[in-house]
Amino acid sequence: MAFGLGVLRLPSRDFWLMTPRELFRAVEGVYGVAPGAPSRAALEEMMRQFPDSQGST
């Protein structure tokens, strides 16, 4: 609601008539398309560079 009414400044009637898909596309229009998940190779490289701590905290 905060995004639709506050950021997009939609009248409440228009906001409530939007489908979730329309709202999602409006978010993308403002903030851009979210990056996809990393590839398996990229994930393995990050895991190699930043291994989980094996010690207790």
Side-chain angles (χ1 to χ4, degrees), residues 7-27:
V7 176
L8 295 177
R9 299 197 180 278
L10 293 169
S12 61
R13 181 181 187 283
D14 293 344
F15 172 77
W16 290 111
L17 289 173
M18 291 180 85
T19 65
R21 182 173 290 163
E22 291 169 330
L23 183 59
F24 179 75
R25 295 295 181 219
V27 171

Side-chain angles (χ1 to χ4, degrees), residues 17-48:
L17 289 173
M18 291 180 85
T19 65
R21 182 173 290 163
E22 291 169 330
L23 183 59
F24 179 75
R25 295 295 181 219
V27 171
E28 282 186 337
V30 172
Y31 295 114
V33 177
S39 67
R40 171 62 100 177
L43 180 59
E44 288 175 354
E45 178 61 20
M46 287 187 284
M47 290 169 62
R48 187 188 65 72

